[in-house]
Amino acid sequence: MSDVARAAGVSSATVSYVLSGKRPVAPQTREAVEAAIAELGFAVNTAARSLRTGRSSMVALIVPDIANPFFAQLAATLQEELRGLGIHILVCNTRARRDEERALLAEALQQRFAGVVITPFRLLPRDLDALHQAGIPVVVSADVPFGSADLVVPEAKAATRQALEKVKAARRRRIAMIAGPRDATGGDPRLELLRTLAPQFGTSLPRELVVRGEHSREAGAAGFAELMSRRYRPDAVFCANDVIAIGAMDKASELGIDIPGEVALVGHDDAFFASLVRPQLTTIRYPADEVGRAAARLLKERFEGRSVRRTVQVKAEFIARASV
Amino acid sequence: MSDVARAAGVSSATVSYVLSGKRPVAPQTREAVEAAIAELGFAVNTAARSLRTGRSSMVALIVPDIANPFFAQLAATLQEELRGLGIHILVCNTRARRDEERALLAEALQQRFAGVVITPFRLLPRDLDALHQAGIPVVVSADVPFGSADLVVPEAKAATRQALEKVKAARRRRIAMIAGPRDATGGDPRLELLRTLAPQFGTSLPRELVVRGEHSREAGAAGFAELMSRRYRPDAVFCANDVIAIGAMDKASELGIDIPGEVALVGHDDAFFASLVRPQLTTIRYPADEVGRAAARLLKERFEGRSVRRTVQVKAEFIARASV
DNA sequence: GTGAAAGCGCTAACAC
DNA sequence: GTGTTAGCGCTTTCAC
């Protein structure tokens, strides 16, 4: 930067102000500086800037599993949306473990990250307090409010209603769910929503027809097997996400159970493979790219000074395919 | 750090040396320092460290599309393998564009990243020269050597032979390929390999049965449609990757063409959805997690001082499923 | 509208 | 085996 200053015949302070726009600079001075910058191919040293300002230009994306297509797409969108601000996305897998979630958050705090986007899995709201106090913007992508962080939530009532309607039209009465783990943060809102709405469609989601496991294909298979072994055997199974639903399909084909003939299946997310499996998976779409854009917007607003908490709803959409 | 030094009754230099191990420290001094660090919850400021050393602790993963399951898995593995060194993975999408590849590389240079892992798509070997001169380790995951960078390459001869064998056993003679774009860096080695080996199996890959496109589902569909319109119509189609193969399957079902009855189909990568589609996709597996581990190892060796170029081969594996 | 200069927290050369 | 200290490149206060 001092090189640029010398070349432009100004002080390095002026170069800095040209770059940041934090104080007015005479047009011709500005031009001279910009010419020198272009000439020398100068780029600011972000380490020095971070040291001085106490703020890095990194945003951490903290998720249970970046290899999950939903989160991979979220990473892609976030990166796309924030690159214009010179912000980099750092991916962090927590493998759904609270200790890793906390460790990552602690690091974000210590390194004074520009922001954090997190899908908490076993985190407690108070785990975010320190970040909040340090003024580091946090966007939570989850179904329930989470401390004082900005929030991106699904609006899934209408879509879930449509799913139930479709299930009802297929003359199914015994609804079950393969849900996430019991100790997940905020419980399983997709389960709660289903339980709340089911009575409107002449059915219910009895406790004994809810099985739980991790968000994995294996857990989906295990959950489906368990449900099929019940005396009161379900004829429609909702899954907390599409990965779980795929596991259920694995097991169904292993057990020779016809989908949707014997059991109807509904997933969540509409991962791109939902239309690839046979039968094609009926699902409640939750668009990762819109979530990413919303998170990026919330972050940008914080960078620009917003200090009040904000929530953005992203609409879920019922996608009728062949598994119901 | 000066707080820690004060608490431990030593100088901040000693604290630094305890942390880095770059010079011997008396056991009791070390203990006192470690106690103070634990006590105060101290963590080094990486911005200050980067400024001082001229090296950041970021590794950039530069790929065409992080939402592609292969690259998403690569990111996950890389992050997992390098977290122990306090290194963070920064994901960068190039959307297969050379200008973005170059811009990202320039940034890695300017910010003095700890390393770069890149799957070049339209980059030229000389684009890496500046990084090399600056001593920034670069690992290239590609099928062909690339300047002076370390390399992770597939060893796919045996697997490709097995694929051809299988195709031959299915009495197919008219082999085609839906390949990547012509202007991709290093051409399309999967195509070259197939062309080289085909004669050993009593067939060949004629120029007019090679169609090209981006690595996308849409391009796969378009490529398949084009092949099906040829007078000399193929009865076996290889695809440069599984995403392309899925596109081909889309089009086949649209055209009412039976796979594998009329046309056999072979993919590359064994993305997790390959076993999800019907018919299940026969493919040449290239394991993203092994690639990630190899890249991490190469990087670590460079951090520890290796200065000679090294290549790691990762074995591809033929996965026979139902599409041939 | 512009400049001088302090100082962010660390590392490593030098001194003992 | 340990301490002192310069300085990395930037931002920002204070002065003009």
Side-chain angles (χ1 to χ4, degrees):
Chain A
M1 188 173 268
S2 62
D3 293 346
V4 173
R6 202 172 314 114
V10 298
S11 76
S12 66
T14 299
V15 177
S16 175
Y17 284 118
V18 166
L19 252 20
S20 70
K22 287 191 181 174
R23 105 181 165 183
V25 174
Q28 49 183 348
T29 311
R30 148 164 282 122
E31 274 168 36
V33 169
E34 280 165 351
I37 287 175
E39 171 84 19
L40 299 172
F42 168 82
V44 308
N45 178 323
T46 53
R49 170 180 287 173
S50 297
L51 176 58
R52 177 58 227 239
T53 62
R55 267 287 189 263
S56 91
S57 57
M58 305 290 158
V59 165
L61 174 65
I62 304 179
V63 296
D65 178 17
I66 186 66
N68 175 321
F70 181 87
F71 295 122
Q73 181 60 55
L74 183 57
T77 307
L78 216 48
Q79 192 251 345
E80 199 72 24
E81 294 286 319
L82 293 177
R83 80 157 55 181
L85 301 185
I87 283 189
H88 285 130
I89 305 298
L90 206 136
V91 297
C92 310
N93 261 355
T94 64
R95 299 184 291 180
R97 293 170 47 170
R98 176 147 182 263
D99 56 343
E100 301 205 12
E101 292 179 313
R102 283 165 50 97
L104 259 3
L105 247 20
E107 197 157 356
L109 177 64
Q110 271 153 354
Q111 309 304 335
R112 312 294 305 231
F113 282 3
V116 170
V117 176
I118 182 168
T119 294
F121 204 83
R122 291 196 159 93
L123 214 57
L124 268 21
R126 64 176 157 82
D127 291 326
L128 296 180
D129 288 352
L131 280 271
H132 183 237
Q133 260 146 43
I136 297 179
V138 177
V139 175
V140 168
S141 165
D143 302 62
V144 290
F146 213 89
S148 51
D150 289 333
L151 204 58
V152 182
V153 285
E155 164 43 41
K157 234 179 223 169
T160 305
R161 274 211 192 88
Q162 288 175 57
L164 280 161
E165 190 125 29
K166 177 86 177 177
V167 164
K168 183 183 183 185
R171 314 202 155 280
R172 308 307 166 110
R173 288 296 175 275
R174 299 190 300 281
I175 293 184
M177 181 158 190
I178 308 176
R182 181 179 303 282
D183 65 343
T185 302
D188 192 327
R190 291 170 173 183
L191 167 62
E192 301 311 329
L193 189 55
L194 206 60
R195 186 171 269 153
T196 308
L197 297 177
Q200 299 176 16
F201 297 84
T203 180
S204 71
L205 185 54
R207 180 171 305 273
E208 62 272 21
L209 285 188
V210 174
V211 299
R212 292 173 177 279
E214 294 299 317
H215 283 177
S216 71
R217 193 166 170 177
E218 293 70 31
F224 191 81
E226 194 181 334
L227 285 174
M228 291 305 110
S229 69
R230 298 285 159 86
R231 345 148 258 191
Y232 185 70
R233 183 162 153 173
D235 53 13
V237 175
F238 283 76
C239 301
N241 71 25
D242 288 350
V243 176
I244 292 175
I246 295 303
M249 290 181 86
D250 292 342
K251 184 57 78 174
S253 101
E254 187 187 323
L255 298 175
I257 293 174
D258 182 56
I259 291 177
E262 288 176 70
V263 179
L265 200 64
V266 181
H268 272 91
D269 283 349
D270 193 27
F272 75 99
F273 54 78
S275 61
L276 256 31
V277 291
R278 290 300 128 92
Q280 294 192 358
L281 184 63
T282 293
T283 191
I284 295 171
R285 173 169 162 75
Y286 189 50
D289 52 349
E290 279 184 44
V291 173
R293 276 194 292 274
R297 199 173 341 116
L298 288 170
L299 243 23
K300 282 183 196 167
E301 290 172 7
R302 289 283 188 179
F303 298 157
E304 288 161 3
R306 173 169 59 76
S307 60
V308 297
R309 198 167 161 285
R310 217 159 94 65
T311 295
V312 173
Q313 289 197 333
V314 172
K315 209 176 218 96
E317 182 189 357
F318 178 61
I319 307 286
R321 294 206 182 90
S323 68
V324 174
Chain B
M1 188 172 265
S2 62
D3 294 347
V4 173
R6 202 173 313 114
V10 299
S11 75
S12 66
T14 300
V15 177
S16 175
Y17 285 118
V18 166
L19 253 18
S20 71
K22 289 192 180 174
R23 97 182 174 187
V25 174
Q28 49 182 348
T29 311
R30 147 165 282 121
E31 274 168 36
V33 169
E34 280 165 352
I37 286 174
E39 171 84 21
L40 299 172
F42 168 82
V44 309
N45 177 323
T46 53
R49 171 180 285 173
S50 297
L51 176 58
R52 178 59 227 233
T53 62
R55 267 287 188 262
S56 91
S57 57
M58 304 290 158
V59 165
L61 174 64
I62 304 178
V63 296
D65 179 17
I66 186 68
N68 175 320
F70 180 86
F71 295 121
Q73 181 59 55
L74 184 57
T77 306
L78 217 47
Q79 192 252 345
E80 200 72 23
E81 295 286 320
L82 294 176
R83 80 157 57 182
L85 301 185
I87 283 187
H88 285 130
I89 305 299
L90 208 134
V91 297
C92 310
N93 261 354
T94 65
R95 298 183 292 179
R97 291 170 47 171
R98 178 148 181 260
D99 56 343
E100 301 206 12
E101 292 180 312
R102 283 166 48 99
L104 260 3
L105 247 21
E107 197 159 355
L109 177 64
Q110 272 154 353
Q111 309 304 337
R112 311 295 305 230
F113 283 2
V116 170
V117 176
I118 183 169
T119 294
F121 204 83
R122 290 196 158 95
L123 214 58
L124 268 21
R126 64 177 158 83
D127 290 326
L128 295 180
D129 289 351
L131 281 270
H132 183 239
Q133 261 147 41
I136 297 179
V138 176
V139 175
V140 168
S141 165
D143 302 63
V144 290
F146 214 88
S148 49
D150 288 334
L151 204 58
V152 182
V153 284
E155 163 42 42
K157 234 179 222 170
T160 305
R161 273 210 192 88
Q162 287 174 58
L164 280 161
E165 190 127 29
K166 177 85 177 177
V167 164
K168 182 182 184 184
R171 311 203 159 278
R172 306 307 165 111
R173 289 296 174 276
R174 297 189 303 279
I175 294 184
M177 180 158 193
I178 307 178
R182 181 180 302 280
D183 64 343
T185 301
D188 193 326
R190 292 170 172 182
L191 167 63
E192 300 312 328
L193 189 54
L194 206 61
R195 186 171 267 155
T196 308
L197 296 177
Q200 299 175 15
F201 297 84
T203 179
S204 70
L205 184 54
R207 179 171 305 274
E208 61 274 22
L209 285 188
V210 174
V211 298
R212 294 173 176 278
E214 294 299 318
H215 283 177
S216 71
R217 197 165 167 179
E218 293 70 31
F224 191 81
E226 194 180 333
L227 285 174
M228 290 304 110
S229 70
R230 297 286 160 88
R231 344 151 259 194
Y232 186 70
R233 185 163 153 171
D235 54 13
V237 174
F238 284 76
C239 301
N241 71 23
D242 287 351
V243 176
I244 292 175
I246 296 302
M249 290 180 85
D250 292 342
K251 184 56 79 175
S253 101
E254 187 187 322
L255 298 175
I257 293 174
D258 182 57
I259 291 176
E262 289 176 70
V263 179
L265 200 65
V266 181
H268 272 91
D269 282 350
D270 194 26
F272 75 99
F273 54 77
S275 60
L276 255 31
V277 290
R278 289 302 129 90
Q280 293 192 357
L281 185 63
T282 292
T283 191
I284 295 171
R285 174 169 161 74
Y286 189 51
D289 52 349
E290 279 184 44
V291 173
R293 276 195 291 275
R297 199 174 339 116
L298 288 170
L299 243 23
K300 282 183 195 166
E301 290 172 8
R302 288 284 188 177
F303 298 157
E304 289 160 3
R306 173 168 58 78
S307 60
V308 297
R309 201 167 159 284
R310 216 160 94 65
T311 294
V312 173
Q313 289 196 333
V314 172
K315 213 179 214 94
E317 183 189 358
F318 179 60
I319 307 286
R321 294 206 182 90
S323 68
V324 174

